Amino acid sequence: MTPTLIKNLSRHVGEEVEIRGWLFNKRSSGKIAFLIVRDGSGVVQGVLLKTNETAFAAAEMLTQESSLYLRGTVRAEPRATGGYEIDVTQVIPVSIAGEYPISLKEHGVEFLAERRHLWIRTPKQAAILRIRAEIEFALREFFYRNDFVLADAPIITPAACEGTTNLFEIDYHGDKGYLSQSGQLYNEATAAALGRIYCFGPTFRAEKSKTRRHLLEFWMIEAEAAFFDVDDNMRLQEDMVVYVIERVLERCRNELKLLERDISKLEAVKKPFPRISYTDAVALLNKAGEAFEWGDDFGAPHETIIGNHFDSPVFVHRYPTAIKAFYMKPDPEDEKVVLGADLLAPEGYGEIIGGGQRIDDLALLEQRLAEHQLPREAFEWYLDLRRYGSVPHSGFGLGIERTVAWICGLDHIRESIPFPRLLHKMYP
Ligand code: 4AD
Ligand code: MG
């Protein structure tokens, strides 16, 4: 018999199917047993009568998380979570599980985090990971449809991109190397070769932050486009974010329901996103009673206040030059600020995208490298991009985990990735 995925049961009503999965839970009332089975694609309840003695005896052996083949007939059941149930004909155990450490009662997060390799089996965690996969797929689809070429950036790099304080250093057979904080500098090179590109991969930050928004290893999708200015860049980002939200709403209904996500909040995300300058954002904070001085960098509470002001994500642009990376292009109308823009998510999720227009002038870039005390030799190739056919160009990076946390409505970023890397925590 060919196996059927639980998510596809709607195509098999009235047919006999085989589900290959694990026992999530079981209940029995003497004459009838209910087997709740998960297969990774969903969860379904099997109904088994005691009159089917062989199957009933097999079911009695099954402990939580035992693996099994469940055969039976699919029946529409409007009251069931997925909309279907199975009238069981056969139960074939594959492996009987020992006493499972994660019981169905509530556990503390510390306890679950230590058992992340098992925790991901619970329906909510699995739903989050399915949504994550959909977000990643939608992002790739968006770029493909918009003529952006995938150009992978290296993970091992000879120099810093986002500042030297949070680099993981490695021994590159006698030379110093670093784990990449961002593919951006390489993106600028591939954009000059291919026009519009993106890269997608893991990035690393050694910062000692212990917040609900920081990971030491996270995934970033980064786009770079030749001849894009800061406004083109923001339009691209808003198209992308709206595209992703629409795909998730369309393809992940069940998962969002399982997470009890208030989808009206996601449906409220509309183009164009509001755009405010850093200076106006400071005024907004002060008006909200927050003591904040022009020139300081926003912390999580400030981003929350700004983000909560709007239903859609909001762009904050033209930050003070002093608090941004060396490559940011100054605003020709006010050199104290740069043409950078961050995108802050609503509902207190804070910055999900950092980006902006890059310096395209050789002399200014050389000056910035010196001001930031970056090793000139390591950046010669990057300077070449300004020597040979320099063009105005812009790009950005979207953090996958923060985006997943926002879309799923999670309290903490640690649930947005299969195996989070947090401060002083890398097991399992
Ligand atoms: O703002 P960031 O540092 O920007 C860059 O790295 C640029 N070079 C990207 C570019 O222009 N190509 O990081 C971009 C995004 C943030 O907005 C956030 O979503 C995410 O990456 N991010 C983190 N996510 C989880 N944990 C951390 N420690 C993160 N640091 C940044
Ligand atoms: Mg940033």
Side-chain angles (χ1 to χ4, degrees), residues 180-196:
S180 176
Q181 302 159 309
S182 160
Q184 181 195 321
L185 306 186
Y186 295 94
N187 285 353
E188 293 182 51
T190 46
L194 299 159
R196 297 177 181 188

Side-chain angles (χ1 to χ4, degrees), residues 162 205 297 303 319 324 327-328 341-342 351-355 397 402:
E162 288 303 305
R205 305 275 166 108
D297 207 354
E303 290 180 1
Y319 286 83
K324 285 292 181 188
Y327 50 70
M328 295 251 182
D342 288 349
E351 181 196 323
I352 54 169
I353 297 182
R402 289 195 192 169

Side-chain angles (χ1 to χ4, degrees), residues 161-162 181-185 187 203 205 207 209 213-224 324 327-328 342-343 351-356 358 395-403 413:
C161 173
E162 288 303 305
Q181 302 159 309
S182 160
Q184 181 195 321
L185 306 186
N187 285 353
T203 43
R205 305 275 166 108
E207 60 209 334
S209 310
R213 294 177 184 178
H214 286 90
L215 293 166
L216 279 73
E217 173 182 308
F218 65 97
W219 285 66
M220 182 152 53
I221 196 154
E222 298 181 82
E224 197 72 30
K324 285 292 181 188
Y327 50 70
M328 295 251 182
D342 288 349
L343 186 68
E351 181 196 323
I352 54 169
I353 297 182
R358 324 302 191 188
F396 63 85
L398 168 126
I400 293 294
E401 291 75 16
R402 289 195 192 169
T403 306
I413 197 165

Side-chain angles (χ1 to χ4, degrees), residues 356-427:
Q357 192 166 341
R358 324 302 191 188
I359 292 174
D360 46 44
D361 177 72
L362 178 63
L364 180 59
L365 192 57
E366 287 174 320
Q367 185 192 322
R368 285 282 194 272
L369 285 175
E371 285 165 7
H372 285 254
Q373 292 171 354
L374 291 164
R376 167 83 190 233
E377 329 74 68
F379 288 89
E380 278 304 328
W381 68 269
Y382 185 63
L383 292 167
D384 272 353
L385 306 176
R386 278 71 183 169
R387 292 189 182 108
Y388 308 114
S390 189
V391 293
H393 63 287
S394 303
F396 63 85
L398 168 126
I400 293 294
E401 291 75 16
R402 289 195 192 169
T403 306
V404 172
W406 164 46
I407 291 179
C408 293
L410 309 180
D411 292 336
H412 197 293
I413 197 165
R414 70 184 145 222
E415 293 179 35
S416 64
I417 181 166
F419 296 97
R421 295 293 169 245
L422 295 156
L423 189 59
H424 304 311
K425 177 144 186 41
M426 57 172 173
Y427 177 91

Side-chain angles (χ1 to χ4, degrees), residues 85-114:
E85 277 190 352
I86 294 185
D87 290 320
V88 179
T89 52
Q90 266 183 287
V91 175
I92 305 160
V94 175
S95 171
I96 301 297
E99 195 181 336
Y100 195 59
I102 302 180
S103 66
L104 297 169
K105 67 170 204 289
E106 289 279 309
H107 289 286
V109 164
E110 292 290 310
F111 177 92
L112 293 168
E114 276 297 297

